[in-house]
Amino acid sequence: MAGAAGDTIVAHFKDTGRNPNYYDAIITGDLGYVGSELLIQIVSKSGYEIAHNHKDCGIEIFDKDTQNTLAGGSGCACSAVTFAAHFYEEMKAGKLNKILFIPTGALMSPISVQQGETIPAIAHAVIIENTGG
């Protein structure tokens, strides 16, 4: 999923002419610790540094030391819960004004797995801006 998120982020920057500094936070969900490190490397190879403002929903929810969640949990659940309970509240409080939100997911198929195929990943980007009104 880090590859899908990286492709989406890089395409967004190229399409809009924006860079990571435009956003208060670039939020993925859920890559976990392992996927977040890979994402930062992938995006960096395209000339964009996101380490300073990247956040991951799974990292926000889970404790890697007590829950052994190095590679993340459920992207759709972590993204929804973390955005609604945490990042939206930070936006309402004015702590965040511009975020690039990139939920991630695996397109799981039991048949594909049984046939030894790879598991395709998906990531879509949503720009959310606090207009103050």
Side-chain angles (χ1 to χ4, degrees):
M1 287 185 278
D7 286 347
T8 299
I9 291 168
V10 169
H12 169 73
F13 291 148
K14 288 180 178 179
D15 287 348
T16 63
R18 294 179 179 160
N19 64 52
N21 294 327
Y22 180 83
Y23 297 101
D24 299 320
I26 297 170
I27 304 165
T28 55
D30 165 28
L31 301 178
Y33 292 91
V34 173
S36 290
E37 288 179 28
L38 289 171
L39 171 70
I40 290 166
Q41 291 174 17
I42 290 166
V43 174
S44 178
K45 286 182 180 179
S46 293
Y48 301 101
E49 299 300 329
I50 64 169
H52 67 284
N53 61 348
H54 173 256
K55 298 180 184 300
D56 184 74
C57 294
I59 292 173
E60 296 290 324
I61 293 176
F62 297 111
D63 179 353
K64 72 176 179 179
D65 297 325
T66 61
Q67 295 176 302
N68 194 25
T69 54
L70 300 177
S74 167
C76 59
C78 287
S79 297
V81 167
T82 308
F83 178 77
H86 178 64
F87 292 114
Y88 179 65
E89 294 300 320
E90 287 198 348
M91 291 192 84
K92 285 186 352 186
K95 294 177 183 175
L96 294 173
N97 291 305
K98 297 177 184 175
I99 64 173
L100 181 61
F101 188 56
I102 308 102
T104 57
L107 304 174
M108 302 291 283
S109 166
I111 294 170
S112 297
V113 173
Q114 291 169 0
Q115 293 175 338
E117 299 289 328
T118 60
I119 300 171
I122 189 168
H124 58 278
V126 179
I127 300 165
I128 304 169
E129 295 190 14
N130 187 354
T131 60

